[in-house]
């Protein structure tokens, strides 16, 4: 059975119909703003020392003072050295069912296994991580576990525009959701029903396509 892209699992977690539209589209590159924010994740020491004026030139999602506080808190934690100098950047991981890119791969540290990191271009929810990112993080951990033939009990989601890192543990519930979404993605062969979630639809880049009923008819007719 073919391997599913971790990013497709994330899309399916948001809305299976959105995944359908994304697959029809050629544009799979992240927007420039997302790339610029992700780049911040590789400049923490420099950003920690930067003046307010310098920080104001960066695509931060919080004030300079809050950003510095967040990086200081991160630096006081146990993962700082590995986050600042990851063992690999943009590491493609290939598992039994899934493949995906870990924007950072943190080296193992004593008994602590290696950790795949998904670097987000957005901001975190008040607690934990957004579900599509959680699913992608689980997929990366599963792929890494398959490659290394060892248990990878957690992944991280990093929000460099805020200077915050959140863990994703591979709980039974999260692994069940991952398997459920694998089935959803593998069985996708036409546009799934719209979801009933105004907030998600409001933020969806395929909102226009989704509302145009003639689109699927046109593609069926090959027009
Ligand atoms: S507009 Fe809503 S239902 Fe349509 S694809 Fe986007 S999230 Fe899904």
């Amino acid at each position: 059975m073919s391997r599913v892209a971790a990013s497709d699992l994330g899309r399916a977690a948001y809305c299976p119909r959105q995944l359908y539209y994304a697959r029809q589209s050629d544009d799979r590159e992240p927007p420039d703003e997302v790339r610029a924010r992700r780049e911040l994740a590789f400049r923490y020491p420099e950003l920690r020392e930067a003046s307010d004026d310098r920080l104001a030139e960066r695509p931060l999602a919080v004030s300079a003072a809050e950003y510095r506080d967040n990086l200081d808190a991160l630096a006081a934690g146990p993962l700082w050295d590995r986050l600042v100098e990851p063992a690999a950047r943009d590491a493609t991981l290939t598992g039994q069912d899934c493949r995906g890119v870990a924007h950072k791969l943190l080296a193992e540290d004593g008994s602590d296994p290696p950790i795949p990191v998904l670097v987000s271009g957005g901001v975190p929810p008040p607690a934990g991580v957004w579900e599509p990112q959680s699913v992608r993080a689980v997929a990366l951990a599963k792929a890494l576990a398959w490659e290394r033939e060892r248990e990878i009990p957690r992944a991280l989601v990093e929000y460099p525009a805020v200077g915050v890192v959140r863990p994703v543990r591979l709980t039974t519930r999260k692994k069940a959701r991952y398997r459920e979404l694998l089935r959803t993605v593998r069985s996708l062969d036409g546009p799934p029903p719209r979801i009933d979630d105004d907030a998600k639809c409001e933020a969806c880049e395929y909102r226009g396509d989704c509302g145009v009923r003639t689109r699927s008819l046109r593609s069926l007719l090959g027009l």
Side-chain angles (χ1 to χ4, degrees), residues 20 26 32-33 39 51 77 82 91 104 124 147 157 168 173-174 177 181-182 185 188-189 192 197 203 209:
Y20 172 80
D26 289 338
D32 288 347
E33 189 188 59
E39 194 57 33
S51 65
R82 288 193 282 166
K104 291 182 184 177
E147 280 191 0
V157 181
V168 174
R173 188 176 62 78
K174 288 207 175 75
R177 179 68 172 142
L181 287 164
L182 268 181
V185 172
L188 192 76
D189 65 354
D197 187 325
D209 298 319

Side-chain angles (χ1 to χ4, degrees), residues 116-120 129 133-134 137 155-159 164-168:
V117 184
L118 180 73
V119 179
S120 167
V129 310
Q133 295 170 342
S134 168
L156 300 173
V157 181
E158 193 169 337
Y159 297 93
V164 163
V165 174
R166 300 255 170 93
V168 174

